[in-house]
Amino acid sequence: MSEPEKSSPKVVLVGNPNVGKSVVFNALTGAYTTVSNYPGTSVEVSRGHCSIADQRYEILDTPGMYSMMPITEEEAVARRILLNEDPHAVIHVVDARNIDRMLPMTLQLIEAGLPVILVVNILDEAKRLGMQLELELLQQHLGIPVIGAIMRRKIGLDQIRQAIVDYAMVPYTPFIYAVDLENDIDKLIRLLQGDYRLSRRAISILLMQKDDDIIQLVAECETAENYTQILEVVREISFRRRADLNLQISLERRKVCKQMLTGVVTQTIEDSEPFAEKLSRWMMNPVTGTPILLFVVYFGLFKFVGGFGAGTMVDFFEGHLFENYISPPIVGFAEQHITANWLFELLVGEYGVWTLGIRYAVALVLPIVGTFFLIFSVLEDTGYFPRLALLVDRLFKRIGLSGRAVIPMVLGFGCDTMATLVTRTLETKRERVIATMLLALAIPCSAQLGVILGLLSVEPRALMVWTVFLLLIFLLIGFLAGRVLPGASPVFYMEIPPLRCPQLRNVAVKTLTRMQSYFVEILPLFLFASVVLWAGKMTGTLENVINIFAPVVKLIGLPVEVTTAFVFGFFRRDFGAAGLYDLQTSGLLNLTQLTVAAVTLTLFVPCVAQFLVMIKERGIKTALFIFVFVTVMAFSSGWFLNKVLIVTGLLA
Amino acid sequence: MNCGFCGREIDITATPGPVEGEKSCGGCLGGCRKIHCPHCGYANPAPGKLLSRFLSKKNKG
């Protein structure tokens, strides 16, 4: 490292996690930053440089910390930086919406004698919630520079840069706590003789709280005799206050914060709650949230994806463009010029790369997943999903999951393989196994869902049977799994982001990105599957496989031709659904058979990619067990549903 | 960027994904196209090279 860098004054960024520290860091330093482990730890610290008024500063972004009394390794590192780096300025970034909860740490930093600049970030959201902040008054109360900011729009950045340059350390006036506490602090301050970077008052309080690092520091800075005496006093105070010391310190700080914030924060009392807040509350309340969920499912999935995507769009691409304009010249060309039967079959035959691979991917699946991803991105951008997580949390607890499991479940409607991978974020092994099994069994992926909705939406009764039956299977298996697998359901807690109007750009970028990723992933797989099926047809293997499955398929009341859709489904769920679409448009299935086939295919085995991820995430034994269980469950359910529909004549 | 699920800020330079040195989590078939939120685990879509180039051009414009 060069000499000038060593001598650059240091500016340290501190604050709770997710208050925008990194945004301030990036805004100050630009692109030239380094990330390295803090010496002796595995905690990463980012360092960068910036020049303000011809002076070069080193900027350090510390891990999130909640208090000067560290609990986690990250917090310990953040405090060690404050202790060891001799900062020119310490920028404490707080979230304006939670200023009352974050200000106690500002008090601790000031109390420690550090050169603090307070940045009150996310002012726009606070204002939206009806909060008015008088930051000049807060500056007067605290005696340090206070800057209001909206860092994601770089508002306040110039003031921060100016405050760094102008920073002039002035002695602070201590915040006064209760008399008995002050007496104990004073006892220790009088005993401390060493040279410390933090104020003696801060050292005394941390000693009383039995902070190991500080005890070690005092041991190094004091004479042996003095250290023994200090420890004796600390022991006496800690014993006397053993029941309530930390609580009292915390309460005293809160009291001081309350005084500091008097007149600073005013909450505009609005006559009526903003509509977005009301809607947000309704979405999470089971009584109002369930009809909203049904509304979203009906119009978003059934009408838009099933009706528009799988109906209108597929009719246009497959029925009009491909059938009338694209396929005839290609098939005609092949008929004229290809004499070898095997090559003809490979390219444009029943399982040819054109007939199955490209046509399925482009004309059938892409329009459906496109519409699905569009509605998915709209819902994602509004902030509906975390509200859905809280809505279903209670129900999920009954099946051994928590609201957190909504994340893989929601992602499963996009792609079950990705969702299976995401189950690793669930807290307990029990939750991960249950979620993996439910994903493999009862969550259809986007294209499968779209095709099935498209096929069934022409007859609402069939759609209703499919929906209710799958929901029942999902709940029944989840409930049983929750009983069979031991363990408690973890508590689910999350901060709910504000409900917002979807942004056109966000929705467009997310939809196009997902479509691109999806298409790039499925096209080679579809082509590969069509080649395998072609090879199977040419060698007679496919016929043998179909013959093995045929009795089972017949047993659930379906024509033997449906077996091919199940074989397709093992390659990709959406490939199988597209196969079912072809069978239906050929007029091979009546309404009962179509519904039974749709249910069985939805429940049928996970595709190859999902199965591989299941092995990777859950191990071979669990993955194989789930595979066998799902296969048996799919055909048993199909058989049962077929019997029920025949006996009741519900779809006759 | 902000997570599409929990809304919290994601430091994309410190998160496995197709950015800054291609630190892929190795989960996706055919290369990583997702940025996993370190707070909630949600898989956020990461624009591919073509779309990123188009977006950065628009931003500059």
Side-chain angles (χ1 to χ4, degrees):
Chain A
M1 194 178 283
S2 62
E3 195 53 38
E5 281 188 6
K6 275 185 184 170
S7 60
S8 299
K10 287 172 183 160
V11 175
V12 180
L13 289 162
V14 294
N16 285 27
N18 303 302
V19 290
K21 275 196 318 297
S22 300
V23 186
V24 179
F25 176 78
N26 291 334
L28 283 172
T29 58
Y32 302 101
T33 62
T34 57
V35 180
S36 58
N37 286 359
Y38 195 74
T41 71
S42 59
V43 179
E44 285 186 338
V45 175
S46 305
R47 289 171 193 262
H49 288 86
C50 76
S51 292
I52 312 168
D54 296 331
Q55 172 64 54
R56 190 171 160 82
Y57 294 91
E58 185 180 355
I59 315 289
L60 284 90
D61 187 12
T62 64
M65 66 190 289
Y66 292 92
S67 129
M68 282 286 280
M69 174 82 188
I71 294 170
T72 63
E73 193 189 9
E74 282 80 8
E75 285 183 298
V77 166
R79 196 185 64 181
R80 221 170 291 164
I81 291 170
L82 292 174
L83 279 171
N84 300 338
E85 302 280 351
D86 193 18
H88 161 78
V90 174
I91 299 180
H92 183 207
V93 187
V94 297
D95 180 343
R97 296 168 298 181
N98 300 309
I99 192 166
D100 54 336
R101 278 195 277 142
M102 297 184 181
L103 207 57
M105 196 172 100
T106 317
L107 297 191
Q108 286 177 272
L109 293 168
I110 297 171
E111 198 168 56
L114 293 163
V116 186
I117 297 169
L118 180 64
V119 173
V120 183
N121 194 18
I122 321 179
L123 275 179
D124 51 344
E125 289 292 334
K127 198 172 174 188
R128 200 184 57 77
L129 295 172
M131 288 173 77
Q132 299 291 334
L133 285 102
E134 294 293 335
L135 296 182
E136 277 187 25
L137 185 62
L138 182 63
Q139 182 165 299
Q140 285 171 27
H141 287 178
L142 292 170
I144 57 163
V146 177
I147 296 160
I150 307 167
M151 280 318 297
R152 66 188 172 87
R153 281 162 39 198
K154 292 204 165 49
I155 294 174
L157 180 64
D158 290 341
Q159 289 91 323
I160 295 172
R161 288 164 64 87
Q162 196 57 47
I164 293 171
V165 177
D166 294 345
Y167 202 90
M169 190 69 198
V170 286
Y172 74 95
T173 315
F175 310 111
I176 306 299
Y177 303 141
V179 180
D180 57 334
L181 192 59
E182 284 295 337
N183 286 340
D184 286 339
I185 296 170
D186 203 42
K187 260 188 217 170
L188 283 167
I189 289 177
R190 274 189 273 120
L191 286 172
L192 292 170
Q193 304 294 327
D195 189 17
Y196 298 97
R197 284 234 167 88
L198 300 187
S199 73
R200 288 182 185 172
R201 183 180 172 83
I203 297 280
S204 302
I205 295 172
L206 290 167
L207 273 176
M208 283 161 61
Q209 293 178 291
K210 293 205 159 173
D211 185 314
D212 289 336
D213 282 352
I214 297 297
I215 292 172
Q216 179 67 34
L217 181 72
V218 172
E220 287 164 14
C221 295
E222 301 290 336
T223 61
E225 192 188 345
N226 207 24
Y227 175 64
T228 314
Q229 202 182 349
I230 289 167
L231 274 195
E232 193 55 46
V233 175
V234 168
R235 217 168 284 139
E236 184 270 318
I237 295 171
S238 304
F239 182 74
R240 181 160 39 82
R241 293 179 169 277
R242 62 190 178 279
D244 66 343
L245 178 66
N246 287 330
L247 179 67
Q248 195 189 357
I249 293 173
S250 168
L251 289 175
E252 286 298 324
R253 286 205 179 112
R254 282 188 182 279
K255 207 162 77 183
V256 174
C257 280
K258 209 174 165 188
Q259 289 164 6
M260 296 289 141
L261 289 173
T262 308
V264 172
V265 181
T266 37
Q267 184 73 44
T268 317
I269 299 165
E270 294 180 5
D271 292 332
S272 61
E273 196 182 8
F275 180 70
E277 295 294 318
K278 271 187 201 165
L279 187 59
S280 171
R281 204 160 32 79
W282 292 338
M283 283 172 172
M284 293 181 281
N285 183 316
V287 178
T288 45
T290 310
I292 292 173
L293 175 62
L294 291 176
F295 178 87
V296 169
V297 168
Y298 183 76
F299 285 103
L301 293 182
F302 290 1
K303 284 288 177 190
F304 188 66
V305 181
F308 178 69
T312 314
M313 295 285 281
V314 171
D315 281 351
F316 174 74
F317 278 96
E318 211 273 327
H320 184 67
L321 274 184
F322 266 68
E323 205 153 293
N324 295 336
Y325 298 103
I326 302 173
S327 285
I330 290 170
V331 176
F333 179 86
E335 279 170 348
Q336 275 183 354
H337 296 93
I338 299 173
T339 49
N341 182 46
W342 66 269
L343 186 59
F344 182 84
E345 284 290 329
L346 175 65
L347 296 176
V348 293
E350 190 183 359
Y351 303 116
V353 289
W354 174 262
T355 323
L356 282 195
I358 294 171
R359 188 174 66 92
Y360 272 19
V362 177
L364 277 176
V365 173
L366 201 61
I368 295 169
V369 295
T371 46
F372 175 82
F373 286 144
L374 180 59
I375 196 73
F376 190 91
S377 301
V378 168
L379 290 173
E380 184 188 68
D381 212 48
T382 57
Y384 179 64
F385 292 152
R387 287 160 178 85
L388 179 64
L390 284 187
L391 176 71
V392 301
D393 184 45
R394 201 179 300 173
L395 178 68
F396 270 27
K397 279 210 169 69
R398 296 203 172 240
I399 59 173
L401 298 172
S402 72
R404 181 174 279 273
V406 159
I407 298 174
M409 294 301 160
V410 161
L411 288 170
F413 285 108
C415 173
D416 281 300
T417 309
M418 163 56 60
T420 305
L421 194 77
V422 170
T423 55
R424 68 169 68 164
T425 61
L426 300 177
E427 276 182 52
T428 63
K429 188 182 172 190
R430 175 183 186 240
E431 253 198 309
R432 293 194 283 268
V433 171
I434 295 174
T436 305
M437 185 155 70
L438 290 175
L439 280 169
L441 181 70
I443 304 289
C445 69
S446 53
Q448 192 184 30
L449 181 73
V451 174
I452 287 170
L453 290 178
L455 288 174
L456 300 181
S457 60
V458 288
E459 178 50 64
R461 285 177 304 157
L463 195 56
M464 188 60 80
V465 168
W466 180 82
T467 310
V468 172
F469 196 79
L470 278 181
L471 201 60
L472 285 176
I473 292 281
F474 179 90
L475 293 174
L476 177 73
I477 299 303
F479 181 78
L480 292 176
R483 292 289 168 280
V484 171
L485 292 169
S489 297
V491 175
F492 174 61
Y493 166 80
M494 80 172 287
E495 243 172 68
I496 299 293
L499 203 61
R500 32 181 203 262
C501 233
Q503 303 289 305
L504 186 64
R505 184 191 149 99
N506 282 355
V507 171
V509 169
K510 285 175 179 179
T511 307
L512 287 174
T513 301
R514 287 191 166 111
M515 282 177 71
Q516 187 196 348
S517 305
Y518 193 84
F519 190 69
V520 167
E521 188 178 313
I522 63 157
L523 188 62
L525 282 170
F526 274 30
L527 293 176
F528 173 72
S530 65
V531 172
V532 171
L533 289 166
W534 162 82
K537 184 188 175 185
M538 300 308 283
T539 56
T541 318
L542 183 63
E543 205 179 334
N544 292 336
V545 173
I546 289 172
N547 286 340
I548 294 167
F549 272 99
V552 187
V553 173
K554 276 184 192 162
L555 196 68
I556 61 173
L558 299 178
V560 73
E561 289 84 351
V562 178
T563 313
T564 47
F566 288 110
V567 176
F568 290 1
F570 183 63
F571 286 100
R572 287 279 306 190
R573 281 167 172 247
D574 34 23
F575 202 52
L580 192 63
Y581 179 91
D582 263 358
L583 291 170
Q584 166 64 6
T585 46
S586 313
L588 275 168
L589 303 165
N590 63 34
L591 194 58
T592 300
Q593 288 173 324
L594 179 65
T595 312
V596 170
V599 165
T600 314
L601 196 67
T602 310
L603 296 173
F604 189 55
V605 291
C607 64
V608 177
Q610 189 182 354
F611 184 59
L612 291 175
V613 171
M614 275 164 55
I615 294 173
K616 186 179 159 204
E617 294 293 312
R618 300 287 89 84
I620 183 83
K621 273 188 195 166
T622 310
L624 270 177
F625 171 79
I626 293 176
F627 186 91
V628 173
F629 175 78
V630 165
T631 310
V632 173
M633 191 68 206
F635 285 107
S636 312
S637 303
W639 176 83
F640 176 75
L641 181 64
N642 184 46
K643 293 288 174 209
V644 170
L645 291 178
I646 289 170
V647 169
T648 58
L650 201 62
L651 297 178
Chain B
M1 71 177 285
N2 284 63
C3 173
F5 189 86
C6 66
R8 289 157 84 176
E9 186 195 328
I10 303 174
D11 179 4
I12 54 171
T13 56
T15 308
V19 283
E20 295 294 317
E22 299 287 328
K23 284 196 289 181
S24 166
C25 70
C28 299
L29 294 170
C32 193
R33 288 176 296 276
K34 299 281 190 293
I35 295 172
H36 291 266
C37 172
H39 312 293
C40 70
Y42 190 73
N44 292 275
K49 280 179 188 165
L50 195 69
L51 198 58
S52 300
R53 211 174 300 155
F54 173 73
L55 289 172
S56 62
K57 265 186 196 167
K58 276 216 116 180
N59 282 342
K60 277 177 196 166

